Amino acid sequence: MVKEELIQRSPLRVFEQSIHGGLGKGKLGVIASRHGIGKTACLVHIATDKLFKDEQVIHVSFSQNVSHVIAWYEDIFTEISKKRHLEDAMEVHDEIIKHRVIMNFNQDNVTVDLIISSLKAMITDGGFHADTVVFDGYRMTVASDEDLLKLKQFAEETQLEVWFSVSPVSRDVDVDEFGVPTTLAKFADSLDVLIGLRYVSDHVVMTVVRDHGSAEPVKMAVKLDPKTMLICDE
């Protein structure tokens, strides 16, 4: 399969249809669940799909191990290329990674203002004209209202599509029936898209909890396969 056909037949097209055509420029989207369900895999699959379309992605990691993030991209690309029988896979791989930048922060030692200024510097001074930013592991549930407002303003001003993965900080925090931590509820009205993940049998159910103003939860027509860690059709 050639890259163009892979893009057209990707389950990410179904994912986008499930949220009215996608997240959209200047919008905030969150993928939420307990720890270890597959949020990072979802983010990396979304980001990789953007890379296949020659869009520019900044991956902001709050993990101390950047090599772990790179490994996720390698694994997701490998699974996609095998599943879809991608032609000239290594050539495509070497081309698309030119459109990705990974930035690393420790949330305990950095302010939202510094994160935003670093991103703006990368985009403006570094000449990396990003289309999408993903915040992997940002502890949104303990962020302040002001911090979230600044992130929302950043997305709107730059017209970037901004995705977050969010888990509860404390292991004893409850999650609702869709897998969303109850501690995220305070920010729900500020999010354009909120997707919850939860294990059911041999796969991970993805539910759109908020969708561009709608607060009627709807099961997505895609799921996460724990074996490949890919978003796939139902």
Side-chain angles (χ1 to χ4, degrees):
M1 183 181 293
V2 297
K3 187 175 76 167
E4 290 73 17
E5 185 182 1
L6 182 148
I7 294 168
Q8 292 173 1
R9 295 176 60 181
S10 170
L12 268 296
R13 305 289 76 77
V14 180
F15 176 92
E16 291 169 345
Q17 292 170 10
S18 297
I19 50 174
H20 291 84
L23 177 57
K25 296 181 182 295
K27 306 296 184 182
L28 298 185
V30 166
I31 296 175
S33 74
R34 294 188 185 277
H35 289 276
I37 303 297
K39 297 178 302 301
T40 295
C42 287
L43 279 189
V44 172
H45 196 171
I46 291 168
T48 301
D49 182 70
K50 306 285 187 187
L51 297 175
F52 274 124
K53 295 189 289 183
D54 297 325
E55 296 182 19
Q56 308 270 75
V57 175
I58 299 177
H59 187 114
V60 181
S61 172
F62 294 88
S63 166
Q64 295 180 355
N65 191 348
V66 175
S67 62
H68 181 66
V69 176
I70 296 172
W72 266 114
Y73 276 93
E74 294 298 313
D75 290 346
I76 293 296
F77 177 86
T78 298
E79 290 294 340
I80 293 171
S81 60
K82 285 195 305 184
K83 188 177 181 68
R84 298 294 181 175
H85 305 290
L86 177 65
E87 297 179 10
D88 302 317
M90 288 313 301
E91 183 178 331
V92 173
H93 170 275
D94 293 345
E95 179 60 33
I96 69 173
I97 62 172
K98 298 175 184 176
H99 301 294
R100 182 197 72 204
V101 166
I102 297 174
M103 301 178 71
N104 183 249
F105 296 98
N106 182 335
Q107 193 170 341
D108 293 327
N109 301 322
V110 68
T111 64
V112 163
D113 290 321
L114 181 56
I115 295 170
I116 290 173
S117 65
S118 298
L119 285 166
K120 287 182 175 179
M122 174 62 70
I123 294 166
T124 304
D125 301 333
F128 189 83
H129 303 296
D131 299 287
T132 301
V133 176
V134 297
F135 285 81
D136 184 16
Y138 181 70
R139 298 199 301 272
M140 184 180 286
T141 58
V142 296
S144 68
D145 292 345
E146 184 181 8
D147 284 346
L148 191 68
L149 178 60
K150 289 176 179 177
L151 289 165
K152 194 169 182 66
Q153 289 173 339
F154 165 71
E156 292 171 351
E157 290 169 5
T158 58
Q159 283 298 285
L160 287 165
E161 186 172 304
V162 182
W163 283 98
F164 296 81
S165 66
V166 176
S167 291
V169 172
S170 175
R171 298 276 179 174
D172 60 0
V173 168
D174 290 332
V175 298
D176 65 19
E177 66 267 38
F178 309 113
V180 178
T182 54
T183 45
L184 190 60
K186 61 180 179 179
F187 291 137
D189 290 342
S190 300
L191 304 175
D192 298 288
V193 169
L194 172 58
I195 297 171
L197 307 184
R198 62 187 176 91
Y199 263 112
V200 174
S201 185
D202 62 346
H203 64 278
V204 175
V205 171
M206 305 177 69
T207 303
V208 183
V209 179
R210 295 192 68 87
D211 181 10
H212 299 94
S214 171
E216 292 293 329
V218 178
K219 181 183 175 184
M220 298 187 84
V222 291
K223 61 184 180 182
L224 183 70
D225 182 348
K227 295 180 181 178
T228 63
M229 299 309 290
L230 294 180
I231 297 170
C232 57
D233 297 321
E234 275 284 313

